[in-house]
Amino acid sequence: MVKELQLRILPEQAASEQTICKYLSDEHGINPKDVCALRILKRSIDARQRTIFVNLKVQVFIGEQPATDAFPHIEYKSVEDKPSAIVVGAGPGGLFAALRLIELGIRPIVIERGKNVHERRKDIAQISRSHVVDPESNYSFGEGGAGAFSDGKLYTRSKKRGNVEKILNVFCQHGASLSILSDAHPHLGTDRLPSIIENMRNTIIRCGGEVHFQTRMTAFLLKGDKVCGIEAEETLIHDEKTEKHLLSFEAPAVILATGHSARDVYKYMYARGIEIEAKDIAVGVRLEHPSHLIDQIQYHRREGRGKYLPAAEYSYVTQVEGRGVYSFCMCPGGTVVPAASGPLEQFRYGG
Ligand SMILES: Cc1cc2nc3c(=O)[nH]c(=O)nc-3n(C[C@H](O)[C@H](O)[C@H](O)COP(=O)(O)OP(=O)(O)OC[C@H]3O[C@@H](n4cnc5c(N)ncnc54)[C@H](O)[C@@H]3O)c2cc1C
């Protein structure tokens, strides 16, 4: 039998599967020995009153195992002998585009100017150690893109983006914690992100796609006004000597997923009269509060969050003279990272 229950319980009762099972036994008469599996479908914290509750929607499998996985898996089939498309950039946009191409039966050729996510770590450590920024491998450039070494928050307030469930499922299929499927404010975690990204790359390669690192797109190949491929410069380092090779890749379609820092790409397109459209930007300021203070205010208690509650957050949204003003994200306990993408650039900071 499968029971779906809506629970409103104390944080210490929601702390683990064991404590939830104990609650189910005490309040719903379900013998913990009969519980074969427990799935948390939704989790949120209600801190509006002095007593804080955790709202949980759970599925309890009593005397039977779940018949389906916790999320639908996508079957990525081989596209080895299928038509190709080039994807420039292996940030989230590029990686998800490549996986989607595979679903559609198209072979992705991914071109990334930076290094793979593990080698990129060394260049990122170098930025903090000696303030030297490698213009091709930094917080913005390299496999995983601009957010690869950040918190990996997945929460969006926007209602315009459609259903994001599939994105969460794809992350889970590549090693993210199942908690992102149920948390009201899901996040991947800095420690897990690199291996999730690597698993996505492995899916692309296993299906017959290609991933080229340290290969920077320099121009489009054009036939009349149609794009038929790209030119790129590959950098190889042997015995501390750097070699550069010019390459060209041909395919009937090119997806540009080069992110906000690829100024050279946009300058190139602008100079060639290729139509590009500026995107609105939001200008931000960083506010710092002691995490303990926010915990005290949001959880209405002097001792703060205690053992069973996560770091508290708040969000602020208002309109000023017809423009939206809103808090973007909170990163309790996070560090401020120097997200410059070039040696002469002022340090841009991201949390
Ligand atoms: C420090 C920091 C923290 C962040 N934290 C979060 C967060 O917690 N949650 C969240 O949702 N968002 C976060 N973001 C924002 C998020 O990272 C971006 O919205 C996201 O990375 C955009 O994805 P993208 O694929 O469009 O571009 P990008 O991630 O910028 O990827 C573009 C890729 O293209 C490559 N590229 C560029 N030019 C070329 C070229 N000529 N040839 C080949 N390759 C090229 C780059 O090397 C890069 O890998 C953060 C950003 C930063 C900087």
Side-chain angles (χ1 to χ4, degrees):
M1 189 199 344
V2 185
K3 270 196 175 179
E4 200 164 291
L5 298 168
Q6 193 76 49
L7 311 179
R8 185 170 165 77
I9 55 182
L10 297 170
E12 52 271 35
Q13 293 170 317
S16 67
E17 276 202 12
Q18 281 94 325
T19 54
I20 298 171
C21 281
K22 164 119 187 26
Y23 175 86
L24 292 173
S25 161
D26 294 348
E27 299 296 322
H28 292 264
I30 300 172
N31 185 344
K33 286 197 186 122
D34 296 335
V35 177
C36 298
L38 190 74
R39 266 188 198 162
I40 298 171
L41 304 179
K42 279 273 163 275
R43 177 196 288 269
S44 62
I45 294 168
D46 183 352
R48 286 172 298 178
Q49 309 293 330
R50 198 146 282 278
T51 306
I52 294 162
F53 289 102
V54 177
N55 291 325
L56 291 181
K57 189 172 169 190
V58 293
Q59 254 181 353
V60 194
F61 295 82
I62 304 163
E64 64 176 88
Q65 289 293 342
T68 56
D69 287 331
F71 58 90
H73 284 245
I74 295 172
E75 198 193 334
Y76 293 105
K77 295 187 182 145
S78 170
V79 285
E80 220 156 348
D81 53 358
K82 301 284 191 234
S84 303
I86 295 165
V87 178
V88 187
L95 289 171
F96 273 90
L99 292 174
R100 181 74 185 131
L101 286 172
I102 295 173
E103 274 185 79
L104 297 171
I106 299 167
R107 193 174 85 90
I109 303 172
V110 181
I111 307 295
E112 168 55 55
R113 73 197 296 164
K115 297 181 187 168
N116 75 48
V117 72
H118 288 288
E119 285 184 42
R120 215 179 139 187
R121 264 180 206 283
K122 295 176 205 151
D123 300 316
I124 280 171
Q126 179 81 350
I127 299 174
S128 305
R129 231 187 354 253
S130 54
H131 293 194
V132 174
V133 180
D134 178 337
E136 302 299 335
S137 178
N138 47 58
Y139 270 102
S140 296
F141 292 160
E143 188 185 24
F149 294 93
S150 87
D151 205 27
K153 288 185 204 65
L154 295 173
Y155 172 63
T156 172
R157 269 192 298 263
S158 170
K159 302 272 179 273
K160 290 182 265 175
R161 287 168 210 250
N163 188 355
V164 295
E165 209 171 287
K166 182 173 174 190
I167 301 289
L168 302 182
N169 292 341
V170 171
F171 274 129
C172 285
Q173 190 165 338
H174 291 94
S177 158
L178 294 184
S179 66
I180 67 167
L181 303 176
S182 53
D183 283 350
H185 290 181
H187 94 256
L188 293 165
T190 323
D191 47 337
R192 275 180 114 142
L193 252 170
S195 58
I196 296 170
I197 291 163
E198 199 176 16
N199 291 340
M200 287 177 161
R201 181 216 312 157
N202 290 338
T203 298
I204 296 167
I205 294 171
R206 199 189 58 244
C207 292
E210 295 173 27
V211 181
H212 299 263
F213 293 116
Q214 292 178 268
T215 305
R216 181 172 62 89
M217 182 198 104
T218 49
F220 289 122
L221 293 174
L222 298 167
K223 267 192 199 138
D225 61 356
K226 273 208 166 357
V227 174
C228 57
I230 61 158
E231 283 177 6
E233 185 183 74
E234 181 191 36
T235 304
L236 295 174
I237 302 168
H238 287 302
D239 301 329
E240 296 186 5
K241 277 200 199 118
T242 305
E243 283 174 25
K244 300 220 183 250
H245 299 274
L246 291 181
L247 304 173
S248 61
F249 297 87
E250 287 186 34
V254 176
I255 296 176
L256 207 58
T258 43
H260 55 58
S261 297
R263 291 171 292 279
D264 51 350
V265 174
Y266 307 120
K267 278 184 187 157
Y268 160 79
M269 290 168 75
Y270 183 69
R272 301 266 167 329
I274 299 170
E275 201 173 76
I276 44 177
E277 196 180 314
K279 181 176 172 287
D280 287 347
I281 55 160
V283 177
V285 291
R286 191 175 83 241
L287 299 180
E288 288 186 18
H289 319 280
S291 181
H292 187 65
L293 174 71
I294 302 300
D295 290 342
Q296 282 179 325
I297 296 169
Q298 295 292 77
Y299 293 139
H300 337 280
R301 28 192 223 190
R302 275 186 91 71
E303 69 274 25
R305 78 178 85 143
K307 200 170 155 192
Y308 300 104
L309 286 165
E313 297 185 4
Y314 68 82
S315 71
Y316 181 80
V317 182
T318 190
Q319 287 277 322
V320 178
E321 294 169 10
R323 285 172 180 237
V325 178
Y326 57 94
S327 55
F328 169 58
C329 73
M330 291 186 75
C331 200
T335 50
V336 176
V337 299
S341 61
L344 297 175
E345 211 178 286
Q346 288 289 315
F347 270 14
R348 297 177 305 145
Y349 284 94

